[in-house]
Amino acid sequence: MYDRMVIAVDGSDEARRAAARGLRLARAFDATVDVLSVVEHGAIRLTETATERDRLRERGAEAIDEIAELAAELGQPVSTRLVDGKPAVQITRVADERDADLVVVGRQGATGLGRRLLGGVTEQVLHRSDVPVLVVPGEDHDGGPEAEYARVLLTTDGSENAEVAVPHGVAVAQRFGSTIDVLNVVDVQAAGGAFGAGGLEREFLERLDERGREAVDSVAERIETSDPDLPVETAVERTTSFDGAAAGVRAYVEANDVDLIVMGSHGRSGLGRQLLGSVASAVLRTVDVPVLVVKRRE
């Protein structure tokens, strides 16, 4: 599944956690790794002397060297690259150039503004990249190089956009001996509207549950076909939160000690190349476990 990875670093603690996760995955998949740091053009323009510009590049080089040292400790070979430009543009360019199967980034990076905001670079990478992106939060509960994935959560709404994530969840589970949880969240507020959710008929809710059950059973059958030995749990959960389906995902993650979420970038609402799906965006902002986002290619 993953032969070549690009790990983007900026010297932040969150990027270091992301890199540790990425190196662990690379070792499990026997993948080659490019460690990349981008010196932002905007920062260069603010410098007044050659010494200041050199210092910016030195910081980027130090960020790369730190991860290269960690990789050496793990016995994971890496290539390194320091470039100038717009970070999201350069990350996606290098991923395309290297024919990468996975990009690994921290959720916020050096300029993070809080747990409910995605870092600007990370969000732009998610918008631009057709390559799957692993986003690692700063509050990752076990972000060390030995982090395991005992429980991998696949979310589905039954759409093709969501189901592109299934092979990725299966691949990780096979490498780490994981249990796969397949979850459908019934968003009662979205189904009934903000003013009607409290009075929805029981039969209508039961139909929503049934559709959710069909969605998770379809994914479970697909997993069993590809690997009958993988343990699979399925669940359909209702949420009445105004935060939508993401609130149901978050509650399930917390209640079931999920270690990794694997999800499509969009659900039934379509692709929208420049827009991250609302559920994926909300999950990325509010969960404290890594999220692997997979986009269906247009």
Side-chain angles (χ1 to χ4, degrees):
M1 179 61 70
Y2 306 121
D3 295 321
R4 182 174 291 277
M5 301 181 186
V6 171
I7 299 176
V9 297
D10 60 9
S12 66
D13 289 342
E14 194 153 292
R16 283 188 284 272
R17 292 188 185 97
R21 286 277 185 176
L23 292 171
R24 171 64 171 149
L25 276 176
R27 191 169 62 175
F29 283 91
D30 194 25
T32 58
V33 176
D34 291 279
V35 180
L36 171 69
S37 184
V38 182
V39 181
E40 191 169 4
H41 272 166
I44 294 176
R45 286 196 297 268
L46 291 174
T47 60
E48 295 182 354
T49 66
T51 300
E52 290 178 344
R53 288 189 287 276
D54 289 343
R55 182 55 188 150
L56 277 178
R57 293 189 172 91
E58 286 173 8
R59 290 174 183 170
E62 289 168 359
I64 290 174
D65 291 344
E66 182 180 28
I67 305 309
E69 290 176 7
L70 175 59
E73 293 173 5
L74 296 173
Q76 172 63 49
V78 298
S79 299
T80 61
R81 187 180 299 195
L82 178 66
V83 300
D84 296 349
K86 294 182 178 181
V89 172
Q90 293 299 327
I91 291 167
T92 52
R93 181 187 66 79
V94 170
D96 289 341
E97 179 184 297
R98 303 296 285 171
D99 197 22
D101 308 295
L102 184 69
V103 173
V104 182
V105 294
R107 181 165 62 185
Q108 294 167 5
T111 57
L113 297 173
R115 71 185 299 271
R116 294 189 178 276
L117 294 177
L118 273 178
V121 172
T122 297
E123 190 149 23
Q124 290 171 40
V125 170
L126 287 161
H127 289 165
R128 297 178 63 89
S129 178
D130 288 328
V131 177
V133 180
L134 177 66
V135 180
V136 180
E139 298 177 39
D140 181 8
H141 67 282
D142 187 9
E146 297 304 322
E148 297 288 351
Y149 301 102
R151 296 190 79 93
V152 173
L153 175 63
L154 278 165
T155 65
T156 182
D157 61 4
S159 68
E160 292 182 1
N161 289 335
E163 292 200 3
V164 295
V166 175
H168 295 265
V170 169
V172 173
Q174 288 172 328
R175 297 286 174 159
F176 289 90
S178 317
T179 295
I180 298 182
D181 291 60
V182 184
L183 173 67
N184 174 269
V185 177
V186 176
D187 184 349
V188 177
Q189 294 289 353
F195 299 101
L200 292 179
E201 294 182 359
R202 185 184 65 183
E203 291 81 3
F204 179 68
L205 290 172
E206 288 175 350
R207 285 199 300 273
L208 294 177
D209 290 343
E210 183 178 350
R211 290 177 185 173
R213 175 55 57 190
E214 290 172 355
V216 298
D217 286 348
S218 175
V219 172
E221 289 172 8
R222 184 175 169 187
I223 294 170
E224 185 177 2
T225 299
S226 64
D227 190 340
D229 295 326
L230 279 179
V232 180
E233 303 285 343
T234 61
V236 177
E237 303 285 347
R238 295 180 189 174
T239 181
T240 58
S241 171
F242 284 102
D243 291 334
V249 174
R250 184 170 65 251
Y252 190 90
V253 166
E254 294 171 353
N256 293 277
D257 294 326
V258 168
D259 302 297
L260 173 70
I261 301 171
V262 184
M263 66 189 306
S265 61
H266 297 77
R268 291 190 179 277
S269 57
L271 281 173
R273 178 176 175 82
Q274 298 302 320
L275 295 174
L276 189 63
S278 60
V279 175
S281 182
V283 168
L284 284 163
R285 284 172 166 82
T286 57
V287 300
D288 290 325
V289 298
V291 182
L292 174 56
V293 181
V294 184
K295 183 181 293 184
R296 182 162 69 92
R297 293 181 183 269
E298 297 180 68

mmCIF file of all heavy atoms in Angstrom, residues 5-32:
data_model
loop_
_atom_site.group_PDB
_atom_site.id
_atom_site.type_symbol
_atom_site.label_atom_id
_atom_site.label_comp_id
_atom_site.label_asym_id
_atom_site.label_seq_id
_atom_site.Cartn_x
_atom_site.Cartn_y
_atom_site.Cartn_z
ATOM 1 N N MET A 5 6.936 7.506 1.122
ATOM 2 C CA MET A 5 6.253 8.498 1.941
ATOM 3 C C MET A 5 7.031 9.807 1.934
ATOM 4 O O MET A 5 8.259 9.810 1.842
ATOM 5 C CB MET A 5 6.125 8.011 3.386
ATOM 6 C CG MET A 5 5.363 6.716 3.555
ATOM 7 S SD MET A 5 5.258 6.245 5.310
ATOM 8 C CE MET A 5 4.489 4.633 5.170
ATOM 9 N N VAL A 6 6.300 10.896 2.061
ATOM 10 C CA VAL A 6 6.899 12.214 2.270
ATOM 11 C C VAL A 6 6.476 12.696 3.656
ATOM 12 O O VAL A 6 5.277 12.768 3.947
ATOM 13 C CB VAL A 6 6.450 13.219 1.201
ATOM 14 C CG1 VAL A 6 6.916 14.640 1.567
ATOM 15 C CG2 VAL A 6 6.993 12.830 -0.169
ATOM 16 N N ILE A 7 7.447 12.998 4.495
ATOM 17 C CA ILE A 7 7.182 13.505 5.839
ATOM 18 C C ILE A 7 7.627 14.961 5.878
ATOM 19 O O ILE A 7 8.795 15.282 5.659
ATOM 20 C CB ILE A 7 7.946 12.697 6.905
ATOM 21 C CG1 ILE A 7 7.502 11.229 6.882
ATOM 22 C CG2 ILE A 7 7.722 13.297 8.291
ATOM 23 C CD1 ILE A 7 8.286 10.340 7.838
ATOM 24 N N ALA A 8 6.677 15.858 6.135
ATOM 25 C CA ALA A 8 6.974 17.288 6.167
ATOM 26 C C ALA A 8 7.202 17.741 7.605
ATOM 27 O O ALA A 8 6.399 17.425 8.493
ATOM 28 C CB ALA A 8 5.824 18.082 5.548
ATOM 29 N N VAL A 9 8.286 18.466 7.841
ATOM 30 C CA VAL A 9 8.628 18.914 9.198
ATOM 31 C C VAL A 9 8.947 20.399 9.183
ATOM 32 O O VAL A 9 9.386 20.954 8.170
ATOM 33 C CB VAL A 9 9.818 18.118 9.783
ATOM 34 C CG1 VAL A 9 9.462 16.648 9.919
ATOM 35 C CG2 VAL A 9 11.065 18.268 8.917
ATOM 36 N N ASP A 10 8.716 21.048 10.334
ATOM 37 C CA ASP A 10 9.012 22.478 10.455
ATOM 38 C C ASP A 10 9.697 22.822 11.771
ATOM 39 O O ASP A 10 9.813 23.994 12.126
ATOM 40 C CB ASP A 10 7.732 23.308 10.298
ATOM 41 C CG ASP A 10 6.688 22.963 11.358
ATOM 42 O OD1 ASP A 10 7.009 22.217 12.310
ATOM 43 O OD2 ASP A 10 5.543 23.439 11.240
ATOM 44 N N GLY A 11 10.146 21.810 12.497
ATOM 45 C CA GLY A 11 10.821 22.049 13.765
ATOM 46 C C GLY A 11 9.907 22.093 14.961
ATOM 47 O O GLY A 11 10.381 22.186 16.103
ATOM 48 N N SER A 12 8.590 22.018 14.758
ATOM 49 C CA SER A 12 7.646 22.065 15.870
ATOM 50 C C SER A 12 7.535 20.702 16.547
ATOM 51 O O SER A 12 7.863 19.661 15.966
ATOM 52 C CB SER A 12 6.259 22.489 15.383
ATOM 53 O OG SER A 12 5.713 21.504 14.518
ATOM 54 N N ASP A 13 7.052 20.713 17.799
ATOM 55 C CA ASP A 13 6.832 19.452 18.516
ATOM 56 C C ASP A 13 5.830 18.580 17.773
ATOM 57 O O ASP A 13 5.970 17.358 17.716
ATOM 58 C CB ASP A 13 6.326 19.734 19.934
ATOM 59 C CG ASP A 13 7.392 20.326 20.840
ATOM 60 O OD1 ASP A 13 8.594 20.205 20.495
ATOM 61 O OD2 ASP A 13 7.031 20.918 21.872
ATOM 62 N N GLU A 14 4.811 19.206 17.212
ATOM 63 C CA GLU A 14 3.775 18.447 16.517
ATOM 64 C C GLU A 14 4.340 17.774 15.271
ATOM 65 O O GLU A 14 4.014 16.618 14.974
ATOM 66 C CB GLU A 14 2.622 19.371 16.156
ATOM 67 C CG GLU A 14 1.370 18.620 15.740
ATOM 68 C CD GLU A 14 0.121 19.433 16.009
ATOM 69 O OE1 GLU A 14 -0.212 19.658 17.192
ATOM 70 O OE2 GLU A 14 -0.514 19.838 15.036
ATOM 71 N N ALA A 15 5.199 18.466 14.550
ATOM 72 C CA ALA A 15 5.823 17.861 13.375
ATOM 73 C C ALA A 15 6.725 16.702 13.770
ATOM 74 O O ALA A 15 6.812 15.697 13.053
ATOM 75 C CB ALA A 15 6.611 18.916 12.596
ATOM 76 N N ARG A 16 7.396 16.817 14.907
ATOM 77 C CA ARG A 16 8.239 15.717 15.378
ATOM 78 C C ARG A 16 7.395 14.488 15.702
ATOM 79 O O ARG A 16 7.780 13.356 15.399
ATOM 80 C CB ARG A 16 9.051 16.155 16.598
ATOM 81 C CG ARG A 16 10.248 17.033 16.247
ATOM 82 C CD ARG A 16 11.134 17.271 17.454
ATOM 83 N NE ARG A 16 10.551 18.253 18.361
ATOM 84 C CZ ARG A 16 10.738 19.567 18.268
ATOM 85 N NH1 ARG A 16 11.462 20.065 17.284
ATOM 86 N NH2 ARG A 16 10.195 20.392 19.145
ATOM 87 N N ARG A 17 6.240 14.706 16.345
ATOM 88 C CA ARG A 17 5.347 13.582 16.627
ATOM 89 C C ARG A 17 4.863 12.946 15.327
ATOM 90 O O ARG A 17 4.781 11.727 15.205
ATOM 91 C CB ARG A 17 4.156 14.050 17.458
ATOM 92 C CG ARG A 17 4.501 14.492 18.876
ATOM 93 C CD ARG A 17 3.231 14.752 19.675
ATOM 94 N NE ARG A 17 3.534 15.296 20.989
ATOM 95 C CZ ARG A 17 3.516 16.594 21.278
ATOM 96 N NH1 ARG A 17 3.182 17.465 20.346
ATOM 97 N NH2 ARG A 17 3.811 17.016 22.494
ATOM 98 N N ALA A 18 4.514 13.785 14.370
ATOM 99 C CA ALA A 18 4.052 13.281 13.086
ATOM 100 C C ALA A 18 5.156 12.477 12.404
ATOM 101 O O ALA A 18 4.901 11.406 11.830
ATOM 102 C CB ALA A 18 3.601 14.432 12.200
ATOM 103 N N ALA A 19 6.370 12.987 12.457
ATOM 104 C CA ALA A 19 7.482 12.278 11.827
ATOM 105 C C ALA A 19 7.715 10.923 12.480
ATOM 106 O O ALA A 19 7.997 9.929 11.796
ATOM 107 C CB ALA A 19 8.746 13.134 11.900
ATOM 108 N N ALA A 20 7.618 10.873 13.816
ATOM 109 C CA ALA A 20 7.781 9.595 14.506
ATOM 110 C C ALA A 20 6.742 8.588 14.041
ATOM 111 O O ALA A 20 7.039 7.413 13.806
ATOM 112 C CB ALA A 20 7.680 9.802 16.026
ATOM 113 N N ARG A 21 5.500 9.050 13.911
ATOM 114 C CA ARG A 21 4.435 8.185 13.392
ATOM 115 C C ARG A 21 4.751 7.736 11.973
ATOM 116 O O ARG A 21 4.581 6.563 11.616
ATOM 117 C CB ARG A 21 3.107 8.934 13.407
ATOM 118 C CG ARG A 21 2.500 9.111 14.778
ATOM 119 C CD ARG A 21 1.731 7.881 15.176
ATOM 120 N NE ARG A 21 1.036 8.066 16.444
ATOM 121 C CZ ARG A 21 0.224 7.165 16.971
ATOM 122 N NH1 ARG A 21 -0.005 6.034 16.345
ATOM 123 N NH2 ARG A 21 -0.364 7.394 18.135
ATOM 124 N N GLY A 22 5.177 8.683 11.142
ATOM 125 C CA GLY A 22 5.467 8.351 9.762
ATOM 126 C C GLY A 22 6.589 7.346 9.622
ATOM 127 O O GLY A 22 6.517 6.415 8.808
ATOM 128 N N LEU A 23 7.633 7.512 10.416
ATOM 129 C CA LEU A 23 8.757 6.578 10.357
ATOM 130 C C LEU A 23 8.341 5.188 10.808
ATOM 131 O O LEU A 23 8.797 4.178 10.254
ATOM 132 C CB LEU A 23 9.908 7.099 11.228
ATOM 133 C CG LEU A 23 10.589 8.371 10.722
ATOM 134 C CD1 LEU A 23 11.547 8.912 11.782
ATOM 135 C CD2 LEU A 23 11.333 8.117 9.411
ATOM 136 N N ARG A 24 7.473 5.136 11.816
ATOM 137 C CA ARG A 24 6.969 3.848 12.289
ATOM 138 C C ARG A 24 6.178 3.147 11.185
ATOM 139 O O ARG A 24 6.344 1.949 10.950
ATOM 140 C CB ARG A 24 6.094 4.073 13.525
ATOM 141 C CG ARG A 24 5.316 2.854 14.001
ATOM 142 C CD ARG A 24 6.210 1.741 14.473
ATOM 143 N NE ARG A 24 5.437 0.691 15.116
ATOM 144 C CZ ARG A 24 5.776 -0.587 15.099
ATOM 145 N NH1 ARG A 24 6.870 -0.981 14.483
ATOM 146 N NH2 ARG A 24 5.042 -1.487 15.720
ATOM 147 N N LEU A 25 5.335 3.891 10.495
ATOM 148 C CA LEU A 25 4.580 3.311 9.384
ATOM 149 C C LEU A 25 5.517 2.869 8.262
ATOM 150 O O LEU A 25 5.335 1.795 7.669
ATOM 151 C CB LEU A 25 3.578 4.320 8.837
ATOM 152 C CG LEU A 25 2.225 4.436 9.534
ATOM 153 C CD1 LEU A 25 1.418 5.553 8.906
ATOM 154 C CD2 LEU A 25 1.447 3.122 9.465
ATOM 155 N N ALA A 26 6.497 3.698 7.954
ATOM 156 C CA ALA A 26 7.436 3.353 6.886
ATOM 157 C C ALA A 26 8.168 2.066 7.200
ATOM 158 O O ALA A 26 8.369 1.210 6.318
ATOM 159 C CB ALA A 26 8.425 4.502 6.683
ATOM 160 N N ARG A 27 8.564 1.900 8.454
ATOM 161 C CA ARG A 27 9.262 0.681 8.852
ATOM 162 C C ARG A 27 8.346 -0.532 8.707
ATOM 163 O O ARG A 27 8.761 -1.597 8.253
ATOM 164 C CB ARG A 27 9.753 0.810 10.291
ATOM 165 C CG ARG A 27 10.701 -0.286 10.721
ATOM 166 C CD ARG A 27 11.358 0.039 12.046
ATOM 167 N NE ARG A 27 10.397 0.151 13.126
ATOM 168 C CZ ARG A 27 10.722 0.341 14.389
ATOM 169 N NH1 ARG A 27 12.003 0.466 14.730
ATOM 170 N NH2 ARG A 27 9.806 0.428 15.328
ATOM 171 N N ALA A 28 7.069 -0.367 9.073
ATOM 172 C CA ALA A 28 6.113 -1.474 8.975
ATOM 173 C C ALA A 28 5.854 -1.867 7.529
ATOM 174 O O ALA A 28 5.645 -3.055 7.227
ATOM 175 C CB ALA A 28 4.802 -1.093 9.663
ATOM 176 N N PHE A 29 5.849 -0.872 6.624
ATOM 177 C CA PHE A 29 5.547 -1.140 5.221
ATOM 178 C C PHE A 29 6.797 -1.271 4.356
ATOM 179 O O PHE A 29 6.687 -1.445 3.147
ATOM 180 C CB PHE A 29 4.655 -0.028 4.654
ATOM 181 C CG PHE A 29 3.219 -0.130 5.063
ATOM 182 C CD1 PHE A 29 2.755 0.513 6.208
ATOM 183 C CD2 PHE A 29 2.322 -0.875 4.315
ATOM 184 C CE1 PHE A 29 1.428 0.425 6.594
ATOM 185 C CE2 PHE A 29 0.992 -0.974 4.688
ATOM 186 C CZ PHE A 29 0.532 -0.329 5.829
ATOM 187 N N ASP A 30 7.963 -1.162 4.971
ATOM 188 C CA ASP A 30 9.228 -1.217 4.232
ATOM 189 C C ASP A 30 9.231 -0.163 3.122
ATOM 190 O O ASP A 30 9.608 -0.434 1.977
ATOM 191 C CB ASP A 30 9.456 -2.616 3.646
ATOM 192 C CG ASP A 30 10.894 -2.807 3.164
ATOM 193 O OD1 ASP A 30 11.779 -2.110 3.680
ATOM 194 O OD2 ASP A 30 11.097 -3.643 2.257
ATOM 195 N N ALA A 31 8.798 1.038 3.481
ATOM 196 C CA ALA A 31 8.681 2.129 2.514
ATOM 197 C C ALA A 31 9.917 3.021 2.549
ATOM 198 O O ALA A 31 10.607 3.120 3.571
ATOM 199 C CB ALA A 31 7.443 2.970 2.820
ATOM 200 N N THR A 32 10.200 3.665 1.443
ATOM 201 C CA THR A 32 11.235 4.688 1.423
ATOM 202 C C THR A 32 10.624 6.013 1.872
ATOM 203 O O THR A 32 9.426 6.241 1.705
ATOM 204 C CB THR A 32 11.849 4.850 0.022
ATOM 205 O OG1 THR A 32 10.803 5.180 -0.903
ATOM 206 C CG2 THR A 32 12.521 3.573 -0.426
#
